[in-house]
Amino acid sequence: QVQLVESGGGLVQAGGSLRLSCTASGRTFSNDAVGWFRQAPGKERQFVAASTWTLSITRYADSVKGRFIISRDNTKNTVDLQMNSLKAEETALYYCAAGRLLGMTMRGDYWGQGTQVTVSS
């Protein structure tokens, strides 16, 4: 079992930045990837970014490449998502997931509860 808890969401103006953190506990090394998804009201869950636990492989959705960066803080056992140049349409509930890389995305086997990101225009 893997437990994931997200933090760092909030309200930001368009063009601003936010940093999300995902604290992982449990059998984290039994999974080979950790990443982020988002879901806006009335829309399907969308892949955002993922990496292997060692950050040797990273994946980003085309829409966030060059603006979002996934990283890991080994001292805190967190996986962070730095989001820059945010757009109003990126308002969504952001979820941390642990699972497997799957081509250019990932399969989430474990999920956090989500953290709300609201980008005002």
Side-chain angles (χ1 to χ4, degrees), residues 19 31 43 63 91 101:
R19 189 178 184 90
N31 299 280
K43 295 188 177 181
S63 60
T91 293
L101 288 180

Side-chain angles (χ1 to χ4, degrees), residues 7-10 12-13 15-21 36-38 48-49 64 66-70 80-87 90-92 94 115-119:
S7 62
V12 65
Q13 288 188 333
S17 299
L18 275 178
R19 189 178 184 90
L20 306 182
S21 289
W36 293 89
F37 288 74
R38 63 189 179 193
V48 176
V64 307
R67 299 186 297 119
F68 290 15
I69 301 171
I70 192 168
D80 298 342
L81 184 68
Q82 177 67 39
M83 306 185 295
N84 302 316
S85 302
L86 282 160
K87 305 173 183 179
E90 294 180 309
T91 293
Y94 282 69
T115 185
Q116 179 67 38
V117 171
T118 302
V119 185

Side-chain angles (χ1 to χ4, degrees), residues 1-7 20-25 27-28 31-38 45-53 70-71 78-81 93-101 105-115:
Q1 290 291 327
V2 178
Q3 294 79 43
L4 304 168
V5 178
E6 304 94 337
S7 62
L20 306 182
S21 289
C22 175
T23 301
S25 60
R27 296 179 59 189
T28 55
N31 299 280
D32 72 353
V34 62
W36 293 89
F37 288 74
R38 63 189 179 193
R45 191 171 294 186
Q46 178 186 46
F47 169 74
V48 176
S51 76
T52 54
W53 284 104
I70 192 168
S71 63
T78 62
V79 176
D80 298 342
L81 184 68
L93 193 60
Y94 282 69
Y95 295 91
C96 179
R100 305 286 179 183
L101 288 180
T105 181
M106 72 170 286
R107 183 193 76 212
D109 297 322
Y110 300 95
W111 297 88
Q113 293 299 306
T115 185

